[in-house]
Amino acid sequence: MTVLIEAQDLTRVLPGEPPVTLVRDVSLEVEKGSFTAIVGPSGCGKSSLLYLLGLIDRPTEGKLLIADQDMTPLDGDERAKVRLERIGFVFQFHFLLPEFTALQNVLLPMRKLGRLERSAAEERALQLLDGVGLKDKAAKTPDRMSGGERQRVAIARALANDPAIILGDEPTGNLDSQNSERVVQIFRMLAKEQERAVLCVTHDMDVAAAADVRINMLDGRIVGVERQR
């Protein structure tokens, strides 16, 4: 299998008296076409690790490779470009712009990247909304959609620039069981049918059970890795 994310001895320490270690000596690989869940108690470093893997934060020590490219020497602008082109994020809160329609929200990353002409971008945005079952909601603003629909729009937005990697931070945390299951089905489809690497931090054991790989964290470290499929 092709490894899209490789972490080598990642450590993140917040300076202070005393310093606080968020992530300690974490090494892992995330493969193309896999759905991986990171689980563990609150405060164990799950989200901190996700932000390191997603280039939102920088490690104090260690190395991170995305598609075999070392991210360590990249400056802020270069890291932002990698995020925009290669990584899609889905958070617990959808972070849709309330004044924009679903279509306009999905278009935002494409407009920022500037790779597609307007008509092609709009066509792609509609296809992405259709892929999550929301083409008929394209003209609606977030306040006219349910929580599950808003989260599916957020997933469509994460896919806007066709990233190889999808990272989720408690993406079902605010959803009921039915909508959570729908999000999980979408994540599995993105991994299995579209061969993306999907990595999700979650407290939801149903989400973790649906993953191919479950990574267990405690006190900033990986304490176990289970291949479930």
Side-chain angles (χ1 to χ4, degrees):
M1 294 292 289
T2 301
V3 175
L4 291 181
I5 303 175
E6 182 179 356
Q8 301 175 0
D9 300 317
L10 288 186
T11 294
R12 178 66 170 105
V13 179
L14 293 180
E17 293 297 336
V20 177
T21 301
L22 302 177
V23 174
R24 187 189 303 272
D25 299 325
V26 166
S27 296
L28 60 81
E29 294 181 348
V30 182
E31 298 173 342
K32 178 180 179 180
S34 68
F35 177 19
T36 301
I38 302 177
V39 300
S42 297
C44 73
K46 301 187 302 295
S47 293
S48 297
L49 176 59
L50 193 78
Y51 299 155
L52 292 173
L53 300 178
L55 305 179
I56 294 173
D57 194 14
R58 287 181 179 271
T60 308
E61 297 176 16
K63 182 183 289 188
L64 174 67
L65 291 85
I66 302 290
D68 291 326
Q69 180 184 358
D70 186 2
M71 299 289 110
T72 309
L74 300 189
D75 64 23
D77 289 342
E78 291 168 329
R79 291 164 64 87
K81 187 171 187 292
V82 173
R83 285 198 304 270
L84 186 61
E85 292 179 344
R86 301 187 186 180
I87 304 172
F89 294 92
V90 182
F91 296 98
Q92 180 174 356
F93 301 100
H94 52 78
F95 294 121
L96 300 178
L97 293 182
E99 69 274 21
F100 284 10
T101 65
L103 179 66
Q104 290 168 332
N105 271 284
V106 176
L107 280 169
L108 283 173
M110 287 184 267
R111 288 178 173 169
K112 187 172 183 180
L113 185 59
R115 185 181 289 164
L116 298 177
E117 297 291 335
R118 180 171 181 169
S119 59
E122 289 186 355
E123 181 179 356
R124 174 166 175 76
L126 286 171
Q127 289 173 346
L128 290 170
L129 287 170
D130 191 29
V132 296
L134 292 176
K135 189 175 182 179
D136 61 332
K137 307 286 186 179
K140 292 187 179 295
T141 50
D143 64 316
R144 298 171 63 198
M145 291 183 282
S146 69
E149 288 169 345
R150 290 193 289 266
Q151 192 66 309
R152 281 186 281 150
V153 173
I155 293 172
R157 180 184 57 189
L159 294 168
N161 290 330
D162 197 22
I165 298 165
I166 300 294
L167 300 181
D169 189 5
E170 300 285 1
T172 63
N174 285 330
L175 302 180
D176 60 27
S177 59
Q178 183 176 1
N179 280 301
S180 294
E181 183 178 350
R182 194 161 190 173
V183 168
V184 169
Q185 290 172 351
I186 292 171
F187 280 176
R188 286 197 56 79
M189 178 272 295
L190 294 175
K192 299 306 166 189
E193 297 179 20
Q194 300 184 13
E195 293 194 321
R196 304 178 198 268
V198 180
L199 178 68
C200 177
V201 162
T202 184
H203 279 102
D204 188 332
M205 289 298 101
D206 289 334
V207 176
D212 305 307
V213 179
R214 183 165 70 182
I215 295 173
N216 297 283
M217 288 191 70
L218 183 66
D219 297 333
R221 297 180 183 272
I222 290 177
V223 295
V225 178
E226 303 169 56
R227 291 194 172 271
Q228 305 183 134
R229 284 175 178 79

